[in-house]
Amino acid sequence: MSDGKITIKTEFQMELMRVAGELVGKTLKMLEGMVKVGVTTKELDEAAEEFIRSHGGVPSFLNYDGFPASICTSVNEQVVHGIPSKKVRLKDGDIISIDCGAIVDGFHGDAARTFLVGNVAPEVRELVEVTKECFFKGFEQAQPGNHIRDIARAVQTHAESHGYGVVRELVGHGIGTNMHEAPEVPNFVDVRMGRGAKLIPGMAIAVEPMINLGSRRVQVLSDGWTCVAFDGKPSAHYENTIFITKNGPEILTNPIE
């Protein structure tokens, strides 16, 4: 994380971030077309790196704190930070959350989607759809003059109304020349957070609901990265980088519909 200072972007910096965000969105769209039964998560990672570099970017995640890949590929009960592998081959009925970041001209874009693989059980499809809805509930609250808590409450209320667990150990974040900047953007309300930072034009944040079909509890595997749902039930992730503007929030990372 950063030194705790929230950075306000200039119009020029906002344009640079739009370019980085667009590249992330295009990369995820390309990967969506590759997600099918039999593909390995390593193949997805290699395709993402080639796509990002061929479009003038650098993968944000590669070697970030030692992370060994260009994207995170989290399958089924894996919440986030799954490491791509030649040994992990997608199966019918899986879901895969892909988290992707790119740097262009010194600025980061960051987004995640959960994709369906073949014939996915109805209750898991619903989890994926509601997680996406949770993002947009939070997005609606990202208005100038509101506070981080307004986003957090909207996400949590929608997820819990469906009986899902909202992950608390991992949160959204500010973003700019660093991938993780202030402020933190939780998906839940905690009395200790107060109202959270006030949203003002020029702020850039990544809002990223991580929602579990069962309990909100998670654990990190022995690889030191992969975070999984403690009860082994599926988890979904949906993220976009957004700007706070005087006219409301703007999505930079090309949401895939």
Side-chain angles (χ1 to χ4, degrees):
M1 194 58 76
S2 70
D3 59 7
K5 183 176 169 138
I6 296 172
T7 61
I8 303 301
K9 279 67 177 179
T10 66
E11 285 293 332
F12 177 70
Q13 291 171 330
M14 289 171 70
E15 281 303 315
L16 294 177
M17 289 196 69
R18 288 185 179 99
V19 174
E22 182 179 16
L23 177 53
V24 171
K26 287 180 176 178
T27 305
L28 285 167
K29 187 66 175 175
M30 180 274 296
L31 292 171
E32 180 184 33
M34 288 185 64
V35 169
K36 60 186 70 174
V37 174
V39 72
T40 69
T41 54
K42 182 64 174 175
E43 288 171 325
L44 296 172
D45 178 64
E46 290 172 345
E49 179 173 4
E50 193 280 330
F51 189 89
I52 290 169
R53 293 190 187 279
S54 69
H55 287 77
V58 176
S60 296
F61 298 170
L62 185 61
N63 299 317
Y64 183 84
D65 285 345
F67 189 75
S70 295
I71 57 174
C72 300
T73 53
S74 305
V75 180
N76 296 332
E77 77 282 359
Q78 296 177 353
V79 180
V80 286
H81 303 158
I83 301 173
S85 171
K86 293 178 181 178
K87 298 179 181 178
V88 178
R89 196 174 294 276
L90 298 180
K91 304 184 302 298
D92 187 56
D94 283 347
I95 58 172
I96 179 171
S97 298
I98 300 179
D99 198 348
C100 177
I103 311 166
V104 181
D105 291 329
F107 284 86
H108 292 259
D110 185 13
R113 304 284 184 269
T114 300
F115 298 122
L116 308 175
V117 185
N119 300 296
V120 175
E123 64 270 21
V124 181
R125 285 178 173 269
E126 183 177 12
L127 169 70
V128 173
E129 184 59 31
V130 170
T131 300
K132 176 180 175 180
E133 292 171 2
C134 284
F135 165 81
F136 283 101
K137 293 291 186 181
F139 175 75
E140 290 169 4
Q141 295 301 315
Q143 304 290 338
N146 278 0
H147 291 75
I148 292 294
R149 185 176 65 180
D150 297 308
I151 298 173
R153 180 186 288 114
V155 172
Q156 181 178 15
T157 298
H158 192 63
E160 291 182 349
S161 73
H162 290 266
Y164 298 148
V166 180
V167 174
R168 299 190 176 212
E169 288 77 5
L170 301 142
V171 297
H173 50 89
I175 185 169
T177 53
N178 295 301
M179 184 162 61
H180 294 110
E181 298 184 355
E184 291 190 344
V185 186
N187 297 305
F188 60 94
V189 174
D190 188 315
V191 293
R192 293 170 294 181
M193 72 185 285
R195 299 180 73 187
K198 185 176 182 179
L199 303 177
I200 60 176
M203 288 175 66
I205 57 176
V207 176
E208 52 176 319
M210 291 158 276
I211 310 298
N212 294 346
L213 184 62
S215 166
R216 68 175 179 84
R217 295 179 62 203
V218 298
Q219 62 182 336
V220 177
L221 300 184
S222 59
D223 62 19
W225 284 103
T226 309
C227 178
V228 302
F230 191 81
D231 59 11
K233 293 183 179 179
S235 182
H237 186 194
Y238 194 95
E239 174 186 19
N240 282 303
T241 299
I242 67 176
F243 270 138
I244 310 302
T245 80
K246 64 182 181 181
N247 297 317
E250 173 191 349
I251 297 177
L252 303 188
T253 38
N254 249 4
I256 298 169
E257 304 302 338

